[in-house]
Amino acid sequence: MPYPTDHQRDRPWVMRTYAGHSSATASNELYRRNLAKGQTGLSVAFDLPTQTGYDADHPLARGEVGKVGVPISHVGDMRRLFDGIPLAKANTSMTINAPAMWLLALYVTVAREQGGDEVLAGLAGTTQNDIVKEYLSRGTYIFPPAPSLRLTTDVIAWAVHHLPKWNPINICSYHLQEAGATPTQEVAYALCTAIAVLDAVRDSGQVDQSDMAKVVGRISFFVNAGLRFVEELCKMRAFAALWDEITRERYGVTDPKLRRFRYGVQVNSLGLTEAQPENNVQRIVLEMLAVTLSRGARARAIQLPAWNEALGLPRPWDQQWALRMQQVLAYETDLLEYEDIFGGSRVVETKVAEIVEDARAEIERVQERGGAVAAVESGYMKSQLVSSLADYRRAVESGERIIVGVNEFESTEPSPLQAEGAKAIETVDSAVEKKAVAALEDWRQQRDNAAVERALAALREAAKTTANLFEPTLECARAGVTTGEWAGALREVFGEYRAPTGVSAASGGGEPGELARVRERVRATDEELGERLRILVGKPGLDGHSNGAEQVAVRARDAGFEVIYQGIRLTPEQIVAAAVQEGVHVVGLSVLSGSHLEVVPEVVDGLRVAGAGDIPVIVGGIIPAEDAQLLADRGVARVFTPKDYELNTIMDGVVTLIREAHGLPG
C-alpha cells in the first residue's frame, strides 16, 4: 500500500477477514461474497491437516478436515479456491507456516495458469511462515528448527528474484501475545526472529549483498493488538523505531523506505470472551484503534475477528460485521486526514522509550543464548512466555485485572444475538471430511503417478543438498503431488520435531489461600489412596494452541499433582497408552479446533477397552453447550470452556472427581 506524503489524506489499509472452511469450492464462494462487500484483500485460513502437512485421509487428520480453515491437498484444490478471482489483481495473505513453500508453489502455479510468467511480477500478498513462533505458541511446525529455517530462507530467496511485490515472510508476533508475551517480549522475540531469518538469508549465499536491502524491504510483520490500547499503540511505535535501527545498523540499509516497519494486524482473538460475547464488539473496536490512531505506526492491513469467535466458527454475517467496523472507521471518520496526532506527546514518547529500552535488553539476552533458534531449542523463550501467561491468569483470578462479564459485572440479560442457539455460529458438515477423502482418492487415480514419483524423488535428493527447494517444489505442484506427499518426502530427509513445552521451567502459583486449600485436598487424597495423584494433560488431534493446556499443567503441578504433559499433536491411542502406563487418576484433554466430538470419544472408548474406563476424562476448549451435552453422554466427566477461568476451582473439581471415582467422600 503506497504511503502518502504528510500533506495527503492517508489511504485506507488493506481490509481483510480471516476465512476459509469446509472445501475449496465453499471458501471460494465466501471470498467472492466478501470481496463484493468491499473487502480489499483475502486472508486464507487453511485447515490443520494442510498446515501440518497431512492429507485428509491421514489418521491424525480425523475430525480436523475443513474445521478451522480450507483443506488444500493439491493444485486442483488451489484452482478451485481462486476460481474467478484474478490473482494479478488480488492481495492475498496465507497463514501456512511449515508448508509455506508448498502452498506458495501451488499459488504460483495457479497464477501462471491464469496469465503466464508475466503475472508473477504483479502478485501481491504475504506468506505467514514465521516458524519460530510456531515452536513457541501455535504449534503447526513439522520439521526441526534448522531445516525449517532453510525452507524459509529458500522461499525468501526465490521470491525476491521472481515475486518483486510479494512479502515472502510474515514475522508473526500475534501468537506470542496470545501465549502470554508482554509488549516487551512481543517486540523482542519478533525482532530476534527477524534477525535470525535475515542472517540466514545473508549467509545462505543465495542473495547478493547488494540485494539484501531488497530482502529487508520485503519483510513484513503480523502483530496482535490487545485492549490496553495506549500501551499497544506505544508498542507499535517501539517496533517501528527498533526495526529502523536494526536494519540500518546490522544490515546497512540506507533507504528509509526499505527500513519502514510494514505490518498487518489481527486483534486479540483469544482475548474474546464466551461470557457476554456481545462485549467483544467494543473490545474489537478498541483494539483496532491501537493500530490505526498513530499515523507514524499505522497498520497497512487489518483483519478483525468476529464477536462470536469464542463460541465457534463465525457466520458470513458475523464476518461482514467485522468488515463494516473497519469501513466505518476508514471512511466515515476523519482519522485519515491528519498527520500523526501523537507526535510530541510526553506520555507516548516516555512509554515508547521504556518499551524500546526493555526490548533491546531482552533481544541482547536472546542473542547471548545463540539467537532465536537456539533459544527455542533450549526452551528459554517458551518458558518465559508460559510464566508471563501464568502471571496474567493470576491477575484475572485475583480480580486485579478486570474482564467485564467474566470476573466482574457478571449479571446479564439474555442475548438476542444468541437466541438461535447453535445456529449463532457456523457449523461444518460432518460429511465434509468424507467428501475430501473421496476427492483425494479420485485425484490420485487421475494424475500421472509416474510423474509424481519422479518429482518426489527429485525433491528428496535436492533436500539432501544445499540447493534451493522451491523449483523442485514447483515441479511437485505441477505433477499433482499432494500436501501429505510433499511433506512426507521432506519428513524422510529432515525428520520431525517436538518442541519444549516450557512447563517444567515456568513459574506458577495462584491466589495463596485458595491454592493452599486445594493443595491440602490433594495431599489428603494422596494419603488416603497411598500414592501421589497423577494427571495427564493431553492435546489430541492437530490443534497446536497449547496455552490453556500448559496453564492447566502448571497449576496442577503447583497444586501438588504429578503432571504428565507430552505436548501437542497426539493420537487418542498415544494418550490412552500414556494414561495406562503412567497409572494416572484423571485425563484432561484440550481441544480448540472443533474436533472434540471426533477425538475425545476415541480417548474415552480407548480407556474402556484398555481396562481403564474408571479414569475420569475431562475436556476443555471452545465447545458449544450442545456439544458439551453430547460429550457427557459419551462418558466425559466434565467440560470446561473459556468462561471457566479460575484454575484453582478447576483443580478443586478435579480432586473431587478423583475422590468420587475411588469411593472417597467428597
Side-chain angles (χ1 to χ4, degrees):
M1 184 65 67
Y3 282 75
T5 69
D6 284 343
H7 302 292
Q8 290 179 309
R9 188 180 195 276
D10 201 1
R11 297 192 183 199
W13 49 87
V14 176
M15 299 182 188
R16 297 182 171 121
T17 52
Y18 184 53
H21 65 84
S22 301
S23 68
T25 299
S27 298
N28 174 264
E29 293 171 358
L30 178 62
Y31 296 163
R32 289 194 188 192
R33 289 204 304 272
N34 286 347
L35 290 170
K37 293 171 183 174
Q39 185 173 303
T40 53
L42 296 173
S43 183
V44 181
F46 296 96
D47 73 353
L48 287 175
T50 303
Q51 291 186 55
T52 50
Y54 293 110
D55 288 329
D57 56 356
H58 192 279
L60 272 172
R62 173 165 163 70
E64 307 279 15
V65 177
K67 285 286 175 64
V68 299
V70 56
I72 298 295
S73 293
H74 46 72
V75 70
D77 286 341
M78 191 66 85
R79 290 185 190 117
R80 282 186 286 274
L81 185 64
F82 292 103
D83 182 40
I85 300 174
L87 298 187
K89 298 179 181 179
N91 189 303
T92 306
S93 171
M94 297 191 286
T95 301
I96 37 188
N97 302 301
M101 178 181 287
W102 171 244
L103 274 299
L104 181 58
L106 294 180
Y107 189 82
V108 166
T109 300
V110 172
R112 279 174 166 163
E113 291 174 353
Q114 288 187 358
D117 282 343
E118 296 78 15
V119 76
L120 300 189
L123 286 187
T126 303
T127 37
Q128 185 186 120
N129 56 335
D130 170 1
I131 203 65
V132 171
K133 70 94 171 50
E134 294 301 309
Y135 301 120
L136 297 176
S137 54
R138 192 164 173 270
T140 59
Y141 56 81
I142 301 174
F143 314 111
S148 294
L149 189 57
R150 173 192 172 179
L151 289 172
T152 300
T153 300
D154 287 356
V155 167
I156 293 172
W158 192 90
V160 165
H161 293 127
H162 297 89
L163 306 176
K165 293 185 178 180
W166 189 265
N167 299 324
I169 187 171
N170 209 309
I171 306 295
C172 183
S173 71
Y174 175 88
H175 301 93
L176 300 182
Q177 184 181 118
E178 293 195 335
T182 63
T184 293
Q185 290 170 331
E186 188 178 342
V187 172
Y189 295 164
L191 293 178
C192 283
T193 298
I195 289 169
V197 168
L198 286 172
D199 283 358
V201 173
R202 180 195 61 198
D203 298 342
S204 72
Q206 298 188 61
V207 176
D208 291 339
Q209 184 60 38
S210 59
D211 286 334
M212 277 302 295
K214 293 181 182 177
V215 174
V216 169
R218 300 264 38 102
I219 300 292
S220 64
F221 290 77
F222 187 73
V223 306
N224 201 332
L227 268 170
R228 294 170 59 83
F229 72 89
V230 174
E231 187 174 64
E232 294 291 323
L233 183 151
C234 293
K235 178 188 75 180
M236 299 320 306
R237 294 171 76 93
F239 249 134
L242 279 170
W243 182 242
D244 183 80
E245 175 184 301
I246 289 168
T247 54
R248 183 182 66 252
E249 295 181 1
R250 189 179 183 98
Y251 302 105
V253 180
T254 57
D255 187 342
K257 291 183 179 179
L258 296 179
R259 298 198 308 265
R260 182 176 287 133
F261 184 75
R262 302 160 55 252
Y263 76 98
V265 65
Q266 173 160 319
V267 304
N268 195 338
S269 288
L270 286 187
L272 304 182
T273 64
E274 177 190 15
Q276 299 181 26
E278 62 276 9
N279 293 335
N280 293 330
V281 175
Q282 50 264 37
R283 289 187 177 105
I284 293 167
V285 171
L286 289 169
E287 289 167 339
M288 177 172 54
L289 292 179
V291 294
T292 54
L293 285 179
S294 174
R295 185 172 183 174
R298 181 171 292 151
R300 303 317 302 176
I302 297 176
Q303 58 191 46
L304 300 180
W307 69 277
N308 54 354
E309 286 197 19
L311 308 176
L313 190 66
R315 301 159 298 183
W317 183 85
D318 306 313
Q319 291 193 328
Q320 173 183 296
W321 194 0
L323 174 63
R324 296 294 185 246
M325 293 178 195
Q326 296 197 57
Q327 291 170 326
V328 169
L329 180 64
Y331 297 111
E332 293 191 29
T333 76
D334 60 350
L335 175 67
L336 301 182
E337 297 175 9
Y338 295 95
E339 299 179 26
D340 198 304
I341 60 177
F342 295 101
S345 166
R346 177 179 55 82
V347 172
V348 169
E349 290 180 355
T350 300
K351 185 63 178 177
V352 170
E354 175 190 320
I355 296 174
V356 166
E357 181 180 354
D358 291 347
R360 272 204 202 102
E362 185 63 16
I363 290 170
E364 185 60 33
R365 281 190 284 272
V366 172
Q367 297 308 309
E368 288 173 354
R369 286 169 169 80
V373 171
V376 164
E377 295 172 328
S378 70
Y380 169 73
M381 288 198 291
K382 180 65 172 178
S383 64
Q384 294 296 107
L385 294 177
V386 174
S387 296
S388 293
L389 187 55
D391 291 341
Y392 169 82
R393 292 198 63 88
R394 282 197 296 273
V396 172
E397 289 179 279
S398 68
E400 176 187 345
R401 183 160 187 152
I402 291 175
I403 301 179
V404 175
V406 175
N407 64 352
E408 189 63 86
F409 314 116
E410 298 170 60
S411 61
T412 183
E413 299 296 329
S415 169
L417 291 173
Q418 295 176 268
E420 296 175 303
K423 294 181 181 178
I425 57 172
E426 187 83 22
T427 55
V428 176
D429 193 331
S430 59
V432 162
E433 187 168 313
K434 293 179 181 178
K435 292 179 181 177
V437 171
L440 188 61
E441 282 303 310
D442 288 343
W443 177 264
R444 287 173 179 149
Q445 291 175 11
Q446 295 171 13
R447 67 186 183 180
D448 182 345
N449 284 299
V452 165
E453 289 305 317
R454 288 194 298 272
L456 287 172
L459 177 66
R460 280 189 288 265
E461 288 306 308
K464 297 173 185 176
T465 72
T466 59
N468 189 299
L469 297 180
F470 203 90
E471 287 295 340
T473 295
L474 277 172
E475 186 54 41
C476 286
R478 289 189 289 265
V481 167
T482 68
T483 298
E485 291 166 343
W486 177 86
L490 294 183
R491 280 183 170 99
E492 292 178 29
V493 180
F494 297 151
E496 293 190 79
Y497 186 71
R498 295 195 71 80
T501 66
V503 169
S504 61
S507 62
E511 282 300 286
E514 181 64 17
L515 182 60
R517 189 184 69 81
V518 176
R519 190 181 292 125
E520 176 57 29
R521 288 196 74 203
V522 171
R523 187 198 60 76
T525 307
D526 287 349
E527 291 183 356
E528 291 175 72
L529 293 179
E531 58 181 338
R532 189 177 176 190
L533 294 192
R534 291 180 295 280
I535 179 173
L536 184 149
V537 179
K539 291 285 297 178
L542 297 177
D543 170 31
H545 286 93
S546 58
N547 304 330
E550 289 154 2
Q551 292 304 309
V552 168
V554 169
R555 187 62 58 86
R557 179 201 66 193
D558 293 342
F561 284 89
E562 179 181 338
V563 178
I564 293 91
Y565 176 57
Q566 299 170 318
I568 63 172
R569 219 178 301 167
L570 299 171
T571 65
E573 292 78 12
Q574 289 172 320
I575 291 173
V576 169
V580 173
Q581 181 178 344
E582 299 286 348
V584 302
H585 298 89
V586 65
V587 172
L589 305 177
S590 169
V591 185
L592 282 81
S593 65
S595 63
H596 45 269
L597 292 181
E598 290 82 9
V599 296
V600 172
E602 287 190 19
V603 174
V604 175
D605 294 343
L607 288 170
R608 189 176 297 119
V609 170
D614 58 337
I615 299 177
V617 175
I618 60 177
V619 183
I622 299 176
I623 301 173
E626 294 83 356
D627 289 359
Q629 184 57 54
L630 291 173
L631 291 173
D633 294 342
R634 289 298 307 273
V636 171
R638 286 287 303 276
V639 174
F640 299 96
T641 63
K643 69 177 182 297
D644 302 302
Y645 68 92
E646 293 181 334
L647 288 177
N648 290 330
T649 301
I650 292 174
M651 291 300 109
D652 194 49
V654 170
V655 178
T656 299
L657 279 176
I658 294 173
R659 294 183 66 84
E660 291 174 351
H662 289 82
L664 301 175

